[in-house]
Amino acid sequence: MAEASMKEKLEKFGLKKAIGYLTKNPEKNLPKLLDMVDKFDKDNVYLGARHAFHAALDDPEGNWYKLIMRVLHDVDNKMIQSFFASFIMGATLEGGKRQEKIRKQYGCNVPWAILLDPTSGCNLHCTGCWAASYGHKLNLTYEEIDDIINQGTAMGTYMYIYTGGEPLVRKKDIIKICENHQDCIFLCFTNGTLIDDEFAEDLLRVGNFFPAISVEGDEASTDARRGDGVFQKVKNAMRILREHRLPFGVSCCYTSQNVDKVGTEAFYDWMIEQGAIFCWFFTYMPVDADAPLELMVNPDQREFMYHFVRSMREKKDLFTLDFFLDGEYVYGCIAGGRYYLHINANGDIDPCVFIHYSDSNIREKTLLEAYQSPLFMEYHKNQPFNENMLRPCPLLDNPYRLEKLVKDSGAHCSDPVKPQDVHDLCAKCEKQALAWKPVADKLWAESAVDGKHCLNDDDTILPQNRVNPAKVMSMEEAIAHDDAVAAAKKAAKAAEMKKEA
């Protein structure tokens, strides 16, 4: 039913035909396609994102224009069409409306994306990775994964992200899932070592699977954490994907040991040279009981990454996300089903991939029942956990908030090997949280415009929890401000060129 509805909508707005024309002459046809999307988003739910795309197309010398054109010229047409239909139209526009309907009907969070671990098995043993301690015994069956997706799409969730373990241990099942759920988009965090030509050909055939390959910076840093020779295997995987014209990205966990390697312009240039179109940054979290605490970044390193990522967004043709430092764009914490959740290989439904506590299992509850469970409702009732969106996490940034959520809901630790008391876990992060607070507060104050921030997605936040409207800039105000800043930069650049001439 969902698939037929999506096809009907694409055909009604002429988007299906327009997507086909897109790759033939992107410079000419992309603006027309965006105009169609504008009409599709008649309620202006995604006004900010649409404005950003239009602004990029209006600046042919800019890095965002270059990224868009690089994708349209270097990526296989089927992958582009699938991304536009399944991600933009399905997971975002169409799915968002259905999520909102269920959210209002049941008074609970409904996620935009579901992360799931097909297996706990992995062919590597990376330092600090919780999956490394889980062994190879836990697996979601094909039927369970299929059922999760069927339940999810019924409520508007079209985005599915594989974690692990190493998801590509289950290559055949993953491809079969892609075949059977063509309306969905699949992203996979992978070490990349199992990517080969046969798998690349399968990805071209199904068209809706996008890998994010883990890299720790340079060769020495990657091999130090992941094992000797892994960096070269990663480069080979990227070469295979590039030669098959498949889109892919990089997943990068920055630690106290590799910030100076990933936080460089040379690393960005290397990712772009390999063909990556996006990079997803995460800061190291001491998730399992034996995780080394010395890998946690200090406040200075975290502040450095805050400034560095934003500076690279101004000049590099690489789409970059920081899971912990981009909270201002999503109104803080997105876990607990607000925008995503995590299902481990044992079926436990966790609020976050970094928070291994649960009161629900897919073998005992439906997804909707889990969304209404005590733990997920505690998240819903308490988000955001801080009005400073640079301190979004109830574990890493707000001492002992996670402990209260877990104890008030009666949840248990879902670590299948070495369960950890939630108080002990929170205690590990207390020192870093207290040290980060003054730095984050300074950055938050400095980033305000006339004391205001543009906080999107407040429809997922309970009215009583929303930031005082006097401190919030509307999307229209934010767009006007961004346009004024862009115009000033353009004028300054033109004046400088005239001066040099």
Side-chain angles (χ1 to χ4, degrees), residues 187-291:
L187 187 142
C188 176
F189 291 112
T190 172
N191 61 46
T193 61
L194 300 179
I195 292 174
D196 54 23
D197 287 300
E198 181 181 357
F199 184 63
E201 289 164 7
D202 280 336
L203 297 188
L204 275 176
R205 179 170 54 81
V206 296
N208 57 346
F209 182 96
F210 301 81
I213 302 176
S214 298
V215 184
E216 309 296 329
D218 61 12
E219 185 166 9
S221 298
T222 299
D223 286 0
R225 189 174 183 207
R226 298 184 171 272
D228 291 343
V230 170
F231 186 80
Q232 290 301 322
K233 292 179 181 179
V234 163
K235 284 185 66 177
N236 185 57
M238 292 178 174
R239 176 191 60 78
I240 290 171
L241 295 171
R242 186 172 64 248
E243 290 178 354
H244 283 81
R245 304 186 74 230
L246 287 162
F248 68 91
V250 169
S251 169
C252 186
C253 176
Y254 55 92
T255 73
S256 61
Q257 305 301 310
N258 74 346
V259 167
D260 60 331
K261 304 298 189 301
V262 302
T264 66
E265 191 165 349
F267 181 55
Y268 264 72
D269 291 338
W270 178 84
M271 289 188 285
I272 294 168
E273 180 183 314
Q274 301 307 306
I277 60 176
F278 66 89
C279 178
W280 208 329
F281 283 110
F282 302 84
T283 191
Y284 173 78
M285 294 274 282
V287 174
D288 68 275
D290 299 321

Side-chain angles (χ1 to χ4, degrees), residues 216 225 252-263 281-286 292-306 322 324-325 396-397 428-437 439:
E216 309 296 329
R225 189 174 183 207
C252 186
C253 176
Y254 55 92
T255 73
S256 61
Q257 305 301 310
N258 74 346
V259 167
D260 60 331
K261 304 298 189 301
V262 302
F281 283 110
F282 302 84
T283 191
Y284 173 78
M285 294 274 282
L293 299 183
E294 63 270 16
L295 290 179
M296 297 179 72
V297 295
N298 62 44
D300 289 341
Q301 291 171 323
R302 201 170 174 186
E303 180 180 10
F304 166 76
M305 288 301 294
Y306 170 87
D322 189 308
F324 289 93
L325 293 176
L396 186 65
D397 302 317
K428 292 179 181 179
C429 298
E430 181 181 12
K431 180 180 178 180
Q432 282 77 5
L434 294 175
W436 173 242
K437 179 184 183 304
V439 179

Side-chain angles (χ1 to χ4, degrees), residues 22-56:
L22 176 60
T23 53
K24 296 178 181 178
N25 190 341
E27 290 84 354
K28 177 182 177 181
N29 291 324
L30 186 55
K32 297 178 181 179
L33 186 59
L34 285 182
D35 287 340
M36 291 181 178
V37 174
D38 290 341
K39 295 176 182 178
F40 193 93
D41 185 29
K42 58 185 178 180
D43 296 325
N44 281 335
V45 176
Y46 300 99
L47 176 62
R50 292 190 289 105
H51 175 266
F53 271 102
H54 282 291

Side-chain angles (χ1 to χ4, degrees), residues 406-473:
V406 169
K407 291 186 174 179
D408 285 354
S409 64
H412 65 275
C413 183
S414 56
D415 187 316
V417 176
K418 198 171 183 179
Q420 181 175 199
D421 183 85
V422 67
H423 179 81
D424 294 339
L425 175 62
C426 290
K428 292 179 181 179
C429 298
E430 181 181 12
K431 180 180 178 180
Q432 282 77 5
L434 294 175
W436 173 242
K437 179 184 183 304
V439 179
D441 288 347
K442 174 180 70 74
L443 293 174
W444 188 244
E446 291 173 350
S447 65
V449 177
D450 297 327
K452 296 181 178 181
H453 289 89
C454 181
L455 299 177
N456 299 322
D457 306 316
D458 65 352
D459 58 322
T460 63
I461 300 293
L462 292 175
Q464 62 268 29
N465 293 346
R466 294 172 189 168
V467 175
N468 185 333
K471 299 179 181 179
V472 178
M473 180 188 300

Side-chain angles (χ1 to χ4, degrees), residues 40-313:
F40 193 93
D41 185 29
K42 58 185 178 180
D43 296 325
N44 281 335
V45 176
Y46 300 99
L47 176 62
R50 292 190 289 105
H51 175 266
F53 271 102
H54 282 291
L57 293 182
D58 290 339
D59 182 16
E61 300 301 317
N63 58 308
W64 294 109
Y65 182 91
K66 292 175 182 177
L67 173 60
I68 292 170
M69 292 305 152
R70 180 159 70 89
V71 170
L72 293 176
H73 286 293
D74 294 350
V75 174
D76 181 80
N77 292 352
K78 182 176 180 179
M79 302 299 296
I80 293 172
Q81 293 174 21
S82 175
F83 175 81
F84 195 92
S86 299
F87 181 83
I88 295 179
M89 302 304 298
T92 303
L93 294 175
E94 175 67 13
K97 295 176 182 178
R98 196 174 303 170
Q99 294 157 27
E100 180 64 14
K101 180 180 179 181
I102 299 296
R103 189 182 297 119
K104 289 181 178 178
Q105 182 177 354
Y106 293 96
C108 61
N109 284 331
V110 180
W112 173 77
I114 292 178
L115 275 68
L116 62 154
D117 302 348
T119 179
S120 64
C122 185
N123 60 324
L124 300 181
H125 195 92
C126 304
T127 302
C129 176
W130 64 84
S133 65
Y134 286 4
H136 294 65
K137 298 180 180 179
L138 303 178
N139 291 279
L140 296 175
T141 67
Y142 172 86
E143 290 75 20
E144 287 171 335
I145 297 172
D146 186 62
D147 184 56
I148 289 168
I149 296 170
N150 284 330
Q151 290 185 59
T153 53
M155 292 183 281
T157 304
Y158 290 91
M159 181 75 179
Y160 296 87
I161 304 175
Y162 294 121
T163 54
E166 171 49 53
L168 298 192
V169 169
R170 300 277 301 277
K171 282 183 187 179
K172 292 184 178 179
D173 282 341
I174 282 175
I175 291 298
K176 187 177 178 182
I177 287 288
C178 290
E179 290 173 335
N180 292 339
H181 294 278
Q182 283 287 292
D183 255 18
C184 295
I185 198 88
F186 298 91
L187 187 142
C188 176
F189 291 112
T190 172
N191 61 46
T193 61
L194 300 179
I195 292 174
D196 54 23
D197 287 300
E198 181 181 357
F199 184 63
E201 289 164 7
D202 280 336
L203 297 188
L204 275 176
R205 179 170 54 81
V206 296
N208 57 346
F209 182 96
F210 301 81
I213 302 176
S214 298
V215 184
E216 309 296 329
D218 61 12
E219 185 166 9
S221 298
T222 299
D223 286 0
R225 189 174 183 207
R226 298 184 171 272
D228 291 343
V230 170
F231 186 80
Q232 290 301 322
K233 292 179 181 179
V234 163
K235 284 185 66 177
N236 185 57
M238 292 178 174
R239 176 191 60 78
I240 290 171
L241 295 171
R242 186 172 64 248
E243 290 178 354
H244 283 81
R245 304 186 74 230
L246 287 162
F248 68 91
V250 169
S251 169
C252 186
C253 176
Y254 55 92
T255 73
S256 61
Q257 305 301 310
N258 74 346
V259 167
D260 60 331
K261 304 298 189 301
V262 302
T264 66
E265 191 165 349
F267 181 55
Y268 264 72
D269 291 338
W270 178 84
M271 289 188 285
I272 294 168
E273 180 183 314
Q274 301 307 306
I277 60 176
F278 66 89
C279 178
W280 208 329
F281 283 110
F282 302 84
T283 191
Y284 173 78
M285 294 274 282
V287 174
D288 68 275
D290 299 321
L293 299 183
E294 63 270 16
L295 290 179
M296 297 179 72
V297 295
N298 62 44
D300 289 341
Q301 291 171 323
R302 201 170 174 186
E303 180 180 10
F304 166 76
M305 288 301 294
Y306 170 87
H307 291 299
F308 174 73
V309 170
R310 281 160 176 74
S311 69
M312 291 297 101
R313 285 177 182 155

